[in-house]
Amino acid sequence: MDSKTQAKKQKILRFEEFLSDKLQPDLRAVLEDRDKVYADMAEFAKLKSMIALIADFGGSSFSKRTGRSDLDDSYKTLVDVGCDFFMQAKVYDPALSLISILVGLDCYVEFTFDEALTFIERREKQLTTKADGLTERALELKSQVKLVLAAIQEVSRAAAMAWARLRMLMSFVLSGGDRSENDNKPQVNINSLPVELVAEILSWIPPLLVMRYRSTSHLFNECLTSQWFARMNLDRHLHLVNLSAEVVYRAEDLDKMLSGFPEHYQCIYLSRKFARTLKISWKYIEFWNSKIPQTLARVESLEVLELSYCQLECGLGPYVDAASPITQLKELLLQCNSLSGFIPDLSPLMSLEKLNLMFNQLCGPIPESIGCLINLKILYLNGNSLSGSLPECLGNLTKLEELYLNRNELTGPIPTSIGGLQCLKKLNMSKNRLCGCIPVELCTLKSLREIDISMNKLTGSIPDEITAMPHLKDVILSQNNITGTIPGSFGSSTVENLYLSENMISGNIPNDFGSWQSLRRLRVNDNKLVGRFPTEIATLPFLKEIWTFGNAISLDSEPSIRDGVDAMFTFLPLHE
């Protein structure tokens, strides 16, 4: 290569580096900032519409429009309080005259409706000005990109002419040697061409397009499916891709089509592109034929693989089999797809620390092999159609911190081996068909902070030992068949939210209710409780909500007791 050609090549490389390292990231950042501004503008427009709706249909305005003074100046609404629970709230007209708006830095300011509309109009003007400025900056960067591309095109004109000659030769080869009456090209039999010549021509075609020529002839197919052609083709084109990234968030077009390529082509491509990659996080990617490229499991450096919201419809078996030689994969995140079939043998993934398969269409039992994942810390299997009983081997996962099995069709009792999960902090088995008693072993989990086993068929009483768990904050046992009484020792526990609704619990509210200093929310509605609340209810400093309806409980009529409950939350006793 002479000095002039070398200089041109270096100039092109500098242009490309400036384009990929400076202009394109700047343009992407400007467009992202503009999208955020547009999102803020949309939120303010939505808020303006909501204010108009509330002002139009508020309680007092309705009574004024109808001229009926006997109407209550309020209306009822449903409020989402979390965990798919809604409560009925009554909104009075005085509460409609003010609204709190986030003005920045996590600060909220209370406005009247007129003040809020004035603030929104000013904020919309500011955002419009900012969006216009970002648009101008984006146009400026786009013009700079065009200038750089024009410079590259000018410098590489000689290379372009070579490309044109290759395209002509390729067109001749694809013609099969046929010629028309006005064509003086010699006739050539494709299969008689030297395979080296065919490979040299085809290797200049970008990988995303080259595989379409496999059906041209037997020779083309043999060439395109060979390992040496894959290396030649990728050597010519893979330099255009960033090969140094340790974390990859953006999928190229070739990545999306990869599962349609020959397996060895996939392997060579992935081994070169992701040679140093530790994490692949692809979301909302539409892969060709909705399948996971199995060869992704063979990227030896890979520690984290996330393919969420990708509309994948395949099974997990082939992928896990392909991953068996890989020992360092720590996180496999395939949530929110349409993966189907049984969960395969997971024992090859010995290094997994986080497995997220939630909200797919997986069925069948939880495999016994899951007990082999002794390094697992996070396990999300919720939102599937898993059935059968909980395996005893779950107790082998001694490092597990979060276990979500809710929204499945699991049956049988909670295994006593669950007492082996001493690092567990969050447990959710709600919305299944679990039966039997709450095992005492569950109460030995000293690190547990949240437990939700609601909407099952559990029986028996609440173990007294549950109140001795040192870090427990949330206890959700609603919609079961639990009997007995509420343990009185809750008054000395760390529990903040206790949901016992829709069971068959009887007796009185514990006498030491007033010592339950950490309590924020208590739901005991629709049980068989009797008696009256003690006067100590007014002393609870953090109490926000009590649901007692559906019982024979009455509330002390002292005004000081009623004033102890925040009026912003619904208080629903059966009797007053």
Side-chain angles (χ1 to χ4, degrees):
M1 184 181 296
D2 57 33
S3 58
K4 291 184 179 180
T5 303
Q6 183 66 26
K8 289 181 179 179
K9 184 176 180 181
Q10 292 297 326
K11 186 178 292 186
I12 291 174
L13 289 176
R14 287 196 298 272
F15 280 139
E16 289 177 345
E17 289 176 357
F18 178 68
L19 184 64
S20 60
D21 296 342
K22 176 62 178 176
L23 293 182
Q24 290 180 343
D26 288 351
L27 179 59
R28 190 180 302 113
V30 169
L31 293 176
E32 289 176 354
D33 290 342
R34 188 179 65 176
D35 289 341
K36 292 178 181 178
V37 172
Y38 285 153
D40 290 341
M41 293 172 67
E43 287 296 322
F44 277 112
K46 188 186 301 182
L47 180 57
K48 186 189 296 183
S49 300
M50 184 59 66
I51 291 174
L53 181 64
I54 295 175
D56 187 39
F57 292 99
S60 61
S61 62
F62 180 77
S63 61
K64 290 176 182 178
R65 289 197 310 268
T66 59
R68 294 178 57 186
S69 59
D70 57 321
L71 293 177
D72 187 11
D73 290 341
S74 63
Y75 66 85
K76 293 182 178 180
T77 185
L78 288 178
V79 179
D80 185 359
V81 297
C83 299
D84 292 333
F85 285 96
F86 289 81
M87 72 177 184
Q88 182 176 295
K90 195 171 186 180
V91 182
Y92 293 91
D93 186 61
L96 299 177
S97 60
L98 297 174
I99 186 170
S100 295
I101 297 180
L102 178 65
V103 296
L105 299 178
D106 290 332
C107 293
Y108 288 81
V109 175
E110 201 169 57
F111 295 95
T112 64
F113 285 171
D114 292 336
E115 291 172 344
L117 291 174
T118 302
F119 171 80
I120 291 172
E121 289 175 359
R122 293 180 179 176
R123 189 68 178 128
E124 285 179 333
K125 290 180 181 179
Q126 294 175 354
L127 292 174
T128 300
T129 302
K130 185 176 181 180
D132 292 341
L134 291 172
T135 300
E136 292 179 2
R137 176 57 180 162
L139 292 174
E140 180 182 346
L141 289 172
K142 288 180 179 179
S143 64
Q144 293 177 4
V145 169
K146 289 181 180 179
L147 286 175
V148 173
L149 290 176
I152 293 175
Q153 184 177 9
E154 182 67 21
V155 174
S156 59
R157 180 178 298 176
M161 294 177 62
W163 270 96
R165 288 195 295 270
L166 284 172
R167 285 196 295 268
M168 292 176 60
L169 181 57
M170 189 65 212
S171 178
F172 166 69
V173 173
L174 291 177
S175 69
D178 295 332
R179 63 177 183 178
S180 61
E181 294 180 357
N182 299 323
D183 192 355
N184 294 324
K185 295 177 183 178
Q187 292 186 1
V188 178
N189 185 349
I190 288 181
N191 290 318
S192 66
L193 292 172
V195 67
E196 293 82 3
L197 174 62
V198 174
E200 183 68 27
I201 296 172
L202 296 179
S203 66
W204 287 98
I205 302 176
L208 199 60
L209 304 176
V210 71
M211 288 300 164
R212 67 174 62 176
Y213 299 105
R214 287 181 60 181
S215 60
T216 302
S217 72
H218 174 74
L219 178 64
F220 275 37
N221 182 66
E222 180 182 354
C223 173
L224 293 172
T225 55
S226 62
Q227 291 189 13
W228 55 271
F229 172 79
R231 294 190 182 93
M232 182 187 300
N233 184 241
L234 291 171
D235 284 342
R236 295 195 189 280
H237 298 278
L238 206 56
H239 69 280
L240 302 176
V241 180
N242 183 9
L243 303 180
S244 61
E246 293 187 356
V247 180
V248 179
Y249 292 105
R250 181 176 179 272
E252 307 291 339
D253 290 337
L254 183 56
D255 299 327
K256 302 174 186 178
M257 300 292 294
L258 196 59
S259 58
F261 281 66
E263 185 173 336
H264 63 263
Y265 199 103
Q266 297 182 38
C267 292
I268 295 174
Y269 170 75
L270 293 171
S271 64
R272 296 191 180 188
K273 179 178 178 180
F274 301 119
R276 297 175 54 189
T277 301
L278 302 177
K279 177 179 180 179
I280 296 177
S281 180
W282 289 341
K283 300 179 181 179
Y284 303 99
I285 303 299
E286 294 187 13
F287 288 96
W288 183 80
N289 69 16
S290 299
K291 291 184 178 180
I292 305 173
Q294 298 176 21
T295 47
L296 275 175
R298 302 178 187 175
V299 179
E300 296 183 357
S301 62
L302 200 60
E303 295 182 359
V304 179
L305 175 61
E306 179 177 9
L307 303 176
S308 56
Y309 304 94
C310 293
Q311 303 179 25
L312 300 174
E313 298 177 354
C314 53
L316 284 173
Y319 178 83
V320 174
D321 292 341
S324 56
I326 308 303
T327 58
Q328 71 277 4
L329 189 64
K330 295 180 180 179
E331 297 185 16
L332 179 58
L333 313 175
L334 304 176
Q335 67 270 21
C336 302
N337 286 289
S338 298
L339 300 174
S340 57
F342 287 19
I343 299 177
D345 180 9
L346 298 173
S347 56
L349 307 178
M350 293 290 293
S351 299
L352 269 189
E353 296 179 2
K354 185 174 183 179
L355 177 61
N356 191 341
L357 302 177
M358 67 178 182
F359 296 114
N360 280 284
Q361 299 174 10
L362 300 171
C363 59
I366 299 175
E368 293 286 340
S369 60
I370 204 166
C372 299
L373 307 181
I374 56 176
N375 294 306
L376 205 60
K377 296 180 180 179
I378 309 292
L379 178 58
Y380 294 161
L381 300 179
N382 50 303
N384 285 283
S385 299
L386 300 176
S387 57
S389 58
L390 298 174
E392 290 284 343
C393 63
L394 283 175
N396 298 340
L397 309 179
T398 56
K399 297 181 181 180
L400 199 63
E401 297 179 2
E402 297 183 17
L403 176 60
Y404 282 74
L405 302 176
N406 50 303
R407 294 177 179 267
N408 280 289
E409 300 173 10
L410 299 170
T411 57
I414 300 175
T416 57
S417 62
I418 200 170
L421 308 181
Q422 289 299 313
C423 294
L424 196 64
K425 297 178 181 179
K426 297 181 180 181
L427 173 64
N428 193 332
M429 297 181 178
S430 62
K431 298 184 180 179
N432 282 287
R433 290 181 288 182
L434 301 174
C435 60
C437 298
I438 302 174
V440 177
E441 289 78 7
L442 181 62
C443 304
T444 64
L445 305 182
K446 303 301 183 183
S447 301
L448 197 62
R449 298 177 182 177
E450 302 175 11
I451 175 173
D452 186 352
I453 50 177
S454 61
M455 302 180 71
N456 282 287
K457 299 180 180 180
L458 298 173
T459 57
S461 60
I462 302 173
D464 291 335
E465 292 82 358
I466 199 171
T467 63
M469 301 174 73
H471 300 290
L472 194 60
K473 301 295 183 183
D474 299 331
V475 179
I476 305 175
L477 308 179
S478 305
Q479 298 186 44
N480 282 287
N481 298 317
I482 297 174
T483 57
T485 60
I486 301 176
S489 49
F490 266 122
S492 58
S493 70
T494 60
V495 173
E496 296 179 357
N497 301 299
L498 178 61
Y499 295 171
L500 304 176
S501 306
E502 299 183 47
N503 281 287
M504 294 185 290
I505 301 173
S506 58
N508 299 315
I509 296 295
N511 293 327
D512 59 350
F513 193 91
S515 64
W516 207 338
Q517 296 298 309
S518 62
L519 187 63
R520 294 177 181 269
R521 293 176 178 84
L522 174 65
R523 296 184 183 178
V524 294
N525 55 287
D526 296 305
N527 279 285
K528 298 181 179 180
L529 297 171
V530 296
R532 300 175 64 85
F533 269 106
T535 57
E536 290 82 1
I537 186 173
T539 66
L540 301 180
F542 303 112
L543 187 60
K544 298 291 185 182
E545 176 183 301
I546 301 176
W547 288 17
T548 64
F549 58 89
N551 290 286
I553 297 176
S554 58
L555 178 68
D556 198 313
S557 59
E558 289 294 328
S560 60
I561 298 175
R562 294 185 178 280
D563 293 341
V565 180
D566 192 338
M568 291 296 291
F569 293 86
T570 303
F571 189 86
L572 298 172
L574 181 62
H575 305 291
E576 295 190 1

